[in-house]
Amino acid sequence: MTTINTNTTNSAGAAGYGYSGTSSTSSGTSSLSGALGSSMSQADFLQLLTAQLQAQDPTNPMDNTQFVSQLAQFSQLASTQSLNTTVSNLSSQVASAMQTSQVLGSVGLVGRNVLVPSDNLSYAGSALGGAVGVTNASSDVQLVIKDGSGKEVRTIDLGAQQAGLAKFSWDGTDDSGNPVPAGTYSITAADQSGNALSTYASGSVSGVGYGGSSVGTYVQVNGVGGVPLSSIAQIN
């Protein structure tokens, strides 16, 4: 009675198909884990495809239609990724060009007086100006100026005002007409009902710059400091 060694026959048959058994499966699993550990690239796709071909059942190989479909899908994905990268780079270039243009266009503000949001006035011996943002028509608007210790030194009655910017001027004296020392003074404003109103300081622009993506273009205002270009309420 003749005995057939089935293990030897299966091993030889598998070798004829290029099937390496456990070794190929282990290699395919390792390739798959490595590819999935990071973002998908063309090299990763080819590595996964190679692992899939090595680990496939030789008696039931991958269907040609599926193979071509996978290649087509990857080709479309690669094209989309390339397009996204191109659009992203173009967007960055356009934003940079627009930012440069905005900075250069703002150079004309140097030397001009502007009104910018501020709750302080820097007094150095010369009269100062500013404005109060009146949201609704008011029968009486008052501005209060305080020194560094919080003491009220001057109250300016602006009277009845329509909605808009109500300008004021301070000559650097207190309510008794006495000159105050140089320094930084806080300002607050309210309407006849006691509702707080926004305040603005007037100053000349001494420079223009770019403060990064979070700030954008800014102007350097004497007595105030750096202020975003978009915060300028009025140019005089």
Side-chain angles (χ1 to χ4, degrees):
M1 183 175 185
T2 304
T3 302
I4 300 175
N5 189 339
T6 55
N7 290 333
T8 301
T9 302
N10 289 344
S11 176
Y17 282 94
Y19 181 73
S20 57
T22 303
S23 176
S24 295
T25 303
S26 176
S27 174
T29 302
S30 175
S31 299
L32 178 61
S33 299
L36 294 180
S38 59
S39 58
M40 191 72 168
S41 67
Q42 185 173 5
D44 294 328
F45 174 79
L46 293 177
Q47 188 176 11
L48 286 171
L49 183 60
T50 301
Q52 184 178 7
L53 291 174
Q54 291 176 342
Q56 68 179 332
D57 184 356
T59 63
N60 183 27
M62 180 187 299
D63 182 67
N64 290 338
T65 302
Q66 294 179 355
F67 184 77
V68 173
S69 176
Q70 289 184 12
L71 289 177
Q73 289 175 5
F74 177 75
S75 177
Q76 183 179 11
L77 175 62
S79 298
T80 301
Q81 290 177 335
S82 177
L83 178 61
N84 288 342
T85 300
T86 301
V87 172
S88 178
N89 291 337
L90 179 61
S91 176
S92 178
Q93 293 174 2
V94 171
S96 178
M98 291 180 62
Q99 186 59 63
T100 300
S101 176
Q102 187 178 55
V103 171
L104 293 176
S106 301
V107 171
L109 292 175
V110 175
R112 300 286 297 273
N113 283 329
V114 295
L115 278 175
V116 294
S118 178
D119 53 9
N120 292 296
L121 294 175
S122 294
Y123 178 66
S126 300
L128 298 173
V132 174
V134 182
T135 53
N136 297 300
S138 174
S139 60
D140 185 44
V141 174
Q142 288 194 339
L143 177 77
V144 177
I145 302 174
K146 301 178 181 180
D147 61 19
S149 65
K151 177 184 177 181
E152 293 187 12
V153 296
R154 181 71 180 272
T155 298
I156 300 177
D157 191 344
L158 300 179
Q161 296 288 337
Q162 295 297 317
L165 293 174
K167 294 184 177 180
F168 69 84
S169 178
W170 180 44
D171 59 4
T173 60
D174 60 19
D175 286 329
S176 299
N178 300 314
V180 300
T184 300
Y185 292 81
S186 64
I187 54 176
T188 58
D191 59 19
Q192 77 280 358
S193 300
N195 299 315
L197 301 175
S198 56
T199 55
Y200 300 80
S202 176
S204 61
V205 177
S206 59
V208 179
Y210 178 63
S213 58
S214 60
V215 177
T217 303
Y218 71 90
V219 293
Q220 195 69 25
V221 181
N222 292 331
V224 179
V227 179
L229 180 65
S230 58
S231 294
I232 296 178
Q234 190 176 83
I235 303 173
N236 300 315

